[in-house]
Amino acid sequence: MSAFSEDELKLQPPEPERESTRWSSPLFLFKREQVLLVLSTKERRPGSLGLERRRLAEHGSSASELGARNRNQSDSIWIFWAPYVTDDGDSTHSEISSSPLTTESPSVLNRREINIRPLDRRDSQAFQVRIDDLLAIRRYLPAIGYPRARFTRKGGEIYPELAFQSGGLRDFLNALRKCVELEADATDPDLFYVRAVRFNAQPQIADGFEMHSSRQSIGHRKAIRRLSASPAALAMLVQEQPAHVQIGSAPMPNVQGSSQGSFHERNATAPDASSSSATSAETREESIPGPSPEGEEELTFHLLERFSQITRLARAATSSLGSAYRRRQGSKQRNAADDLISETVHDADEEDVAQQEPFSSIAVQFENGEIVPPLRTLDRDFQVYRPLRSAPRVSREAFQRGRRLDPLAMRHAIFAGGLEHDARAVAWPYLLGVFDWTISPEEEQEQRRLLENEYLVLKQQWKSISEKQERRFSKYRDRRVQIEKDVIRTDRGIELFRDDNSTALRHLFNILLTHAFFNFDLGYCQGMSDLAAPIVYILGGEEEALAFWCFASLMDVLERDFRKDQSGMNEELSRLALVIRHIDPKLYNYLRDQQAEKFYFCFRWLLVRFKREFQFEQVLYLWDVMWAAPSTAGGGLFHLYIAAALLELHRDIILEYHLTSDELFSYTNRMAMRNDAELVIAKAELLFKEYGLPAELELQLDLKHAV
């Protein structure tokens, strides 16, 4: 691992996000003085780090109107850092305060005189980020030196390190946990991922000390926690709440003045800082009451009632589908008496469904007597799951800046939002293991040169075969003919591969045949061209050698799946069976009754990693996510949860229409190109978070690692 250059360490904060709306003066939840912005190994700027709640203040909106709005729409919690302003107004060369704050009780702290220095929030190096846009926090606890922290924003933007000269990193993380759920990475306990945002954060007045808040009822906390994993579902339910039911604490008081300087101006001009702080604390404690127990209980009851209603409506919708299908097939399979009973039951189901006003049901169509998979499943799937994939995609510049600073956080940023198209040519070689994430740009260029020379040597092995040698080399002839057949029918609908004489097709052929010589024992199998084509599409135009090594790295992982004895694919399908039995026993038992428990109808999904199940651009996005999947999402097993998500999104049709083993093959083939990648990925991520790995699969992996 090479050392960082001085220019690389001089990381500037990302551009502050531009808000089209105005925010009122902040209400501090946490504030820590003497936090240093680390610009380089020798350059650090002192300032203050804070956590504050801001209320949206639109033109023409009164405080009462804002208070009546949904808290999730009108409130926002921000993390900010700003440098100190010196007496002459220049914040460039601020000095460290000579009297650091200590950990004391709020009563002692309020009695002492605290010199809170004004901040320059308009400084070019000041930054602020909403916790909704925060992806991860990296903690550094060196044996010698100050504890430090680094923030990573969704989209892969990484802020400079902050050094806590007077301590307080633990206090800051504890205060942040009151606002968001922090999940430690399974392999790195100092990396915390930001999960669902909480609504019960209470304000703080003094540095590092929270105000006393009323207790929340157990039922209220459990209800909010159950909803935290599904922001879309929470928004759907809260929008229909009674107006007198509130979530969390009471509305934030309307603080007069602008958000840029009112707090600092008041402290700078106050004759007695300690008395002013104490008076402010008492005033705010009295003006912010906790939620009433009656309102909390009513909220809990209302949310549970709404969940119950959704369940009843969904059950009624799928029940009506099953009844319609049974009536359609009744004339072929039942006698006249059974038909009469089926009609009676169907009429009763229709009356019950009409009374409950269900969601829009699945629009099932038939073609030649077979079910055509819908382009979408129930509308509720899109309402609940797809909004969870709202993180921005990682840009080329963000990846190049962040991959060396925090590789694990960068992988998680890619998993959360994918990559922008022009970033894939840079990021895929790292995701596939061709390059080490910590190498410098100079080392990368040297490795590229060595890999290109090695590729030319491998390529020359088959190019130098003479006609006489080819007549005596049957394996070479057979593989070459098979590759030629597959290349001319791979992704011809894509503009890059449309021309028979295109450079991309020639590069695809060269890469596949060179790999057949590189891994001669494996050779070539159908399906490899499907895996190589997207890599050539991203890299092959100018960098055929790098595209080859990316494909070779991918095949090192998938080699067992292409063995002629199919032992690798049988193991993959048995793992998928374990996952389905773990998360949905009813579906697994049904498939077992249909003698489909081997999951051969999912064979193509896993062999070519869903290449034929999604549109081409969505396949690129899906591969971004799968290759970057962290351990908190199953890591190298996330593709099994993608397959499970596809089945779960179509399980109602499979169960209600009683698809047989043969019909499952036909149905899954018809599913190709009719799936939505964002929906499936969000569903897969939630399945893993809710159920985790099956115990049998964990045992297999432990034994494999032990060997």
Side-chain angles (χ1 to χ4, degrees):
M1 174 178 176
S2 62
F4 292 105
S5 66
E6 195 71 17
D7 292 335
E8 289 176 303
L9 285 174
K10 289 187 177 180
L11 181 66
Q12 295 295 326
E15 288 292 327
E17 78 176 75
R18 304 293 181 185
E19 293 291 329
S20 58
T21 54
R22 297 174 57 194
W23 298 89
S24 68
S25 295
L27 185 64
F28 286 101
L29 307 177
F30 176 91
K31 194 165 182 286
R32 175 66 65 178
E33 303 293 336
Q34 298 180 0
V35 177
L36 308 180
L37 183 73
V38 182
L39 299 174
S40 67
T41 54
K42 298 181 180 179
E43 185 179 2
R44 303 182 179 187
R45 293 192 66 185
S48 178
L49 174 70
L51 185 67
E52 61 189 14
R53 174 183 289 166
R54 304 178 190 174
R55 164 144 295 189
L56 187 64
E58 297 178 351
H59 296 287
S61 297
S62 64
S64 59
E65 290 174 341
L66 289 174
R69 293 182 183 177
N70 189 332
R71 172 174 295 276
N72 194 29
Q73 296 174 347
S74 61
D75 279 8
S76 184
I77 298 176
W78 296 67
I79 297 173
F80 75 89
W81 181 90
Y84 294 125
V85 176
T86 56
D87 295 336
D88 58 359
D90 181 15
S91 62
T92 306
H93 303 288
S94 302
E95 297 181 355
I96 305 297
S97 174
S98 59
S99 56
L101 297 180
T102 57
T103 304
E104 299 177 282
S105 66
S107 58
V108 175
L109 186 64
N110 291 336
R111 291 196 301 266
R112 297 186 55 179
E113 182 175 349
I114 304 174
N115 182 21
I116 301 179
R117 302 172 63 178
L119 305 176
D120 183 7
R121 295 207 185 195
R122 299 182 184 275
D123 187 88
S124 61
Q125 291 174 337
F127 66 85
Q128 60 182 0
V129 58
R130 279 189 294 192
I131 60 172
D132 310 70
D133 299 328
L134 198 61
L135 175 74
I137 300 174
R138 163 72 69 180
R139 175 181 64 183
Y140 300 92
L141 300 175
I144 300 176
Y146 305 134
R148 306 189 307 278
R150 186 196 296 276
F151 303 113
T152 301
R153 189 176 176 177
K154 292 177 181 177
E157 295 289 348
I158 297 181
Y159 292 88
E161 285 184 7
L162 296 176
F164 291 73
Q165 189 187 33
S166 301
L169 176 57
R170 179 183 301 176
D171 293 337
F172 170 73
L173 292 177
N174 289 337
L176 191 61
R177 284 190 176 96
K178 293 180 173 62
C179 306
V180 296
E181 293 183 8
L182 296 181
E183 177 183 350
D185 186 83
T187 59
D188 189 342
D190 290 323
L191 182 62
F192 301 93
Y193 301 125
V194 178
R195 299 307 185 193
V197 177
R198 306 180 192 271
F199 296 95
N200 60 345
Q202 297 296 330
Q204 283 185 295
I205 302 303
D207 183 0
F209 298 103
E210 61 178 305
M211 290 180 60
H212 299 286
S213 60
S214 301
R215 284 187 171 181
Q216 290 185 328
S217 66
I218 296 176
H220 174 73
R221 292 199 302 269
K222 288 184 177 180
I224 296 300
R225 184 170 181 83
R226 283 194 297 269
L227 291 173
S228 62
S230 179
L234 177 61
M236 178 177 65
L237 294 177
V238 171
Q239 286 172 1
E240 301 183 22
Q241 288 185 103
H244 61 280
V245 178
Q246 278 189 342
I247 294 181
S249 61
M252 188 185 71
N254 186 20
V255 183
Q256 302 296 328
S258 65
S259 60
Q260 287 293 338
S262 59
F263 175 79
H264 309 297
E265 292 170 0
R266 289 196 302 271
N267 285 279
T269 58
D272 188 351
S274 60
S275 61
S276 174
S277 176
T279 304
S280 176
E282 293 173 1
T283 303
R284 294 193 184 185
E285 274 190 324
E286 294 173 358
S287 63
I288 307 178
S292 63
E294 293 80 8
E296 295 171 350
E297 294 300 334
E298 184 173 355
L299 170 64
T300 302
F301 175 79
H302 181 72
L303 296 181
L304 295 177
E305 182 183 27
R306 292 294 299 153
F307 273 128
S308 177
Q309 184 179 0
I310 291 174
T311 303
R312 291 197 304 271
L313 296 180
R315 187 183 297 113
T318 54
S319 176
S320 64
L321 296 175
S323 300
Y325 180 79
R326 289 191 296 272
R327 185 176 63 168
R328 180 186 180 93
Q329 301 295 328
S331 59
K332 300 179 181 180
Q333 300 178 358
R334 300 182 179 90
N335 55 32
D338 290 335
D339 288 341
L340 180 60
I341 295 174
S342 178
E343 292 289 344
T344 304
V345 172
H346 172 72
D347 292 338
D349 288 344
E350 281 188 336
E351 293 178 2
D352 184 48
V353 171
Q355 292 177 359
Q356 298 188 22
E357 299 179 359
F359 290 105
S360 300
S361 60
I362 305 174
V364 178
Q365 298 179 354
F366 290 85
E367 184 177 298
N368 299 326
E370 295 182 347
I371 299 176
V372 178
L375 282 171
R376 295 185 176 186
T377 54
L378 288 178
D379 288 341
R380 69 172 183 266
D381 293 328
F382 274 75
Q383 293 173 2
V384 174
Y385 298 123
R386 190 166 184 175
L388 301 181
R389 302 295 302 177
S390 59
R393 301 202 175 188
V394 177
S395 66
R396 185 187 188 104
E397 295 75 16
F399 179 82
Q400 290 176 327
R401 284 198 306 265
R403 66 168 178 83
R404 296 187 66 204
L405 293 171
D406 200 332
L408 194 55
M410 180 54 62
R411 292 181 70 96
H412 192 81
I414 297 172
F415 176 77
L419 290 159
E420 291 184 358
H421 185 75
D422 63 342
R424 293 188 174 111
V426 177
W428 276 18
Y430 290 92
L431 289 172
L432 290 170
V434 177
F435 298 137
D436 185 86
W437 286 65
T438 59
I439 62 174
S440 66
E442 295 76 16
E443 291 172 326
E444 179 185 328
Q445 291 301 321
E446 178 63 18
Q447 288 192 18
R448 284 174 179 262
R449 186 184 64 79
L450 296 176
L451 290 174
E452 184 174 1
N453 292 338
E454 187 176 357
Y455 172 70
L456 293 176
V457 172
L458 293 171
K459 185 178 177 180
Q460 191 62 28
Q461 291 179 1
W462 59 267
K463 278 186 167 292
S464 61
I465 293 178
S466 63
E467 293 184 4
K468 293 182 180 180
Q469 184 182 5
E470 184 175 347
R471 289 198 298 268
R472 296 167 175 81
F473 200 168
S474 61
K475 286 189 176 181
Y476 167 72
R477 292 197 312 270
D478 295 342
R479 291 175 180 178
R480 183 186 181 104
V481 170
Q482 186 62 55
I483 291 173
E484 288 175 344
K485 289 180 179 179
D486 287 351
V487 164
I488 61 175
R489 58 191 181 191
T490 299
D491 291 321
R492 298 305 299 275
I494 306 301
E495 181 65 30
L496 189 66
F497 301 105
R498 192 164 294 166
D499 187 359
D500 290 339
N501 299 319
S502 67
T503 303
L505 284 181
R506 185 172 67 254
H507 287 175
L508 181 60
F509 173 81
N510 292 342
I511 288 171
L512 292 173
L513 191 54
T514 303
H515 186 268
F517 271 74
F518 175 68
N519 191 342
F520 203 82
D521 292 340
L522 179 63
Y524 175 81
C525 300
Q526 283 186 323
M528 290 184 180
S529 61
D530 284 291
L531 296 172
I535 298 176
V536 173
Y537 177 80
I538 296 298
L539 292 167
E542 301 294 335
E543 300 180 275
E544 180 182 326
L546 186 58
F548 167 81
W549 290 112
C550 287
F551 175 69
S553 296
L554 179 60
M555 290 309 304
D556 287 344
V557 177
L558 304 180
E559 176 180 347
R560 297 184 71 255
D561 296 348
F562 286 90
R563 290 179 179 174
K564 293 183 178 180
D565 61 0
Q566 295 187 351
S567 60
M569 279 305 303
N570 287 332
E571 182 179 353
E572 286 282 278
L573 294 172
S574 63
R575 288 179 173 180
L576 177 59
L578 290 175
V579 171
I580 296 298
R581 188 176 67 180
H582 177 58
I583 66 178
D584 194 344
K586 181 179 180 181
L587 178 61
Y588 176 82
N589 292 334
Y590 172 80
L591 295 175
R592 184 184 58 190
D593 295 340
Q594 299 298 322
Q595 298 182 348
E597 74 277 9
K598 298 295 185 183
F599 288 84
Y600 289 133
F601 56 90
C602 302
F603 190 95
R604 183 183 68 193
W605 296 359
L606 302 180
L607 181 67
V608 295
R609 288 302 189 262
F610 311 98
K611 168 63 166 39
R612 302 182 187 180
E613 312 312 315
F614 300 90
Q615 298 294 332
F616 190 81
E617 184 60 35
Q618 290 198 358
V619 170
L620 304 180
Y621 169 67
L622 178 66
W623 285 9
D624 292 342
V625 174
M626 286 199 306
W627 293 344
S631 57
T632 53
L637 300 178
F638 188 67
H639 62 283
L640 298 179
Y641 288 82
I642 295 289
L646 282 170
L647 290 176
E648 285 296 299
L649 290 171
H650 292 265
R651 77 181 295 275
D652 291 343
I653 293 179
I654 295 173
L655 295 177
E656 291 293 333
Y657 289 82
H658 305 289
L659 299 186
T660 64
S661 178
D662 292 339
E663 289 172 337
L664 280 169
F665 275 95
S666 174
Y667 185 82
T668 52
N669 284 333
R670 288 172 175 266
M671 282 170 57
M673 304 300 170
R674 302 176 69 86
N675 299 300
D676 183 274
E678 290 183 350
L679 170 65
V680 173
I681 293 170
K683 177 70 172 178
E685 186 177 359
L686 287 180
L687 286 175
F688 182 83
K689 289 179 180 177
E690 184 174 358
Y691 297 98
L693 288 174
E696 301 92 328
L697 188 53
E698 288 185 350
L699 181 61
Q700 289 181 11
L701 296 176
D702 290 341
L703 293 176
K704 184 176 181 179
H705 291 317
V707 173

